[in-house]
Amino acid sequence: MENRLLAVFLFALGTAIATGLGALPFLFMREISKRTIAIANATSAGLMLGASFGLLREASQFGTWQPIVGGAVGLLFILLSERALSGREIELGSIRGAGARQAMLVMIVMTLHSFAEGVAVGVSFGGGEKLGALITIAIAVHNVPEGLAISASMRPRGASILSCASYSVASSLPQPLMAVPAFVFVDHFRPLLPFGFGFAAGAMVLVVFMELAPESYEALSRRSVGLLVSLTLGLMILFQRYL
Amino acid sequence: MQQLVQSPVVFVLLCALGAVLLSLLGVIPHALRRTLPPQVVGIAEGLAGGCMLGAGFLLVHGPTDSGWVAILGAGLGVGFVYSLQLYFGLGAEGSESMLGGVLDSELAEGAPPPPKAAADGEIGYRLLLESSMHAAMEGVAIGAAMEVGLGLGLFLVSALALHNIAESLALVDALRSRGVSLKDAAGLSIVVKVPQMMAAVAVFAVTEAVPSLRALTLGLAAGSLFYTILTDLLPAAYERCGKMRVAVAVSASAGIVVLLHGVLLGR
């Protein structure tokens, strides 16, 4: 039993570390302008919308109303977080001010999302090692664009690559932390999955339309925002479906 | 008469007609009050956008779950609407959004905002053109959903009918701000929706005749809906009532659409 617990923890830790790979594309970014920030915001928006669609799709296999109730709670949570953060001097790594507030909100939603995914990893190992490994690989791969979304909210604001990778990994640390108890108490955690997925999806959708999308329009035309968000949304859906 | 109503194509036409006529409910607030607060119009646009977002999600991830073909269709839908916008000069820097706003960021530095004065000017023409294009894409969604099945089809017609009310409210507001009379604005809000009926019938007929096109048309509808939300409804809504209200309106209405679909029709 102890070996199995260690295996679950290590698999889930691997998924968390995979999130850091999302920072790598920014090794090639030289110039950071208002337009770059807008492009990064639009990219993040599409990726997060795609992720929330995937979460809702997964959650709908477990229940119909549960994901939406979870989503409503997620929405409220973000509204309260926004209220708590507004008017305060926020710092995230080397980022300060309004940019830090936005990056913090993106971090919060991604971290919340990770709790639900950690439960999913633990519950899947309850169905056998083969299933657990399969789900873990899927989540690890899926974490890479999420790390990209976090890095996209931080790098254009001056955060270093290492900082982006570190925060991305940190946002996924709830996965190994939740995977082990979820594996041990699988029958108790399984009913919570649709609520958890819905919570994460609702929170993400609100952050997309409250922060990322409006900021994108500040330096890009409507057509450009439409194209970029649609493209990254479609790619994320494809990625989740086939990888 | 009975044979006509029993015909599937006529049934789709009648459902789409019902969704279009319901837009007139969006005119009522304007009849009661000369000008509506911009926040009300902005929230209406957000609610309309959320209905479209929820509908798009159901088209791609709903009962058919059509996979990569649907995503390809979505790409084609986005490309089609983008091309039309490019051709007519819509959605670019300095252009006005469908529902009246011009984003400050899209104005060239020092340039005056485009005049809102009425009439037969280019601004009125573009506004109505973009509204019609938008309505046609919604018609594609109705036709595609109707072909999948009665349950999904009727659900989508209902969701888009509600969205039509909110959109009509915003469109009439934009037309009235240009000096168009309430009677003419109400009539135009119906006329621009005629492509919705035509597209619904055409797409239904084609996909019924060629069922292998189903996944592609579902994706095409979803892609064009998402793109339209991003280039039309959202920018106008943000201008009118700020990002938090719009975000809550979009998220809540999308969630309600998905919830009602799950509760009424099952997974």
Side-chain angles (χ1 to χ4, degrees), chain A residues 37 41 44 48 78 82 85 90-111 146 149-159 163-164 167-168 171 207 211-212 215:
Chain A
I37 293 176
N41 280 330
S44 268
M48 285 172 71
I78 292 301
E82 163 76 13
L85 291 173
I90 306 289
E91 290 178 18
L92 189 70
S94 55
I95 311 171
R96 280 157 183 72
R101 193 182 59 75
Q102 189 194 84
M104 178 77 85
L105 278 174
V106 173
M107 268 290 292
I108 288 172
V109 294
M110 290 306 194
T111 307
E146 289 175 6
I150 292 173
S151 302
S153 68
M154 294 180 66
R155 179 69 179 143
R157 290 177 171 87
S163 203
C164 292
Y167 278 100
S168 298
S171 74
V207 169
E211 294 290 335
L212 300 173
E215 292 230 357

Side-chain angles (χ1 to χ4, degrees), chain B residues 134-148:
Chain B
H134 179 141
M137 294 301 114
E138 290 156 6
V140 171
I142 290 173
M146 279 290 194
E147 197 277 332
V148 170

Side-chain angles (χ1 to χ4, degrees), chain B residues 181-201:
Chain B
S181 72
L182 183 62
K183 182 169 85 60
D184 287 350
L188 284 169
S189 75
I190 295 294
V191 166
V192 298
K193 294 282 185 209
V194 167
Q196 194 172 95
M197 295 191 306
M198 293 164 59
V201 168

Side-chain angles (χ1 to χ4, degrees), chain A residues 4 121-135 183 190:
Chain A
R4 289 192 79 196
V121 169
V123 165
S124 67
F125 270 99
E129 278 197 14
K130 196 173 170 188
L131 178 64
L134 196 65
I135 298 294
F183 171 66
R190 194 177 277 128

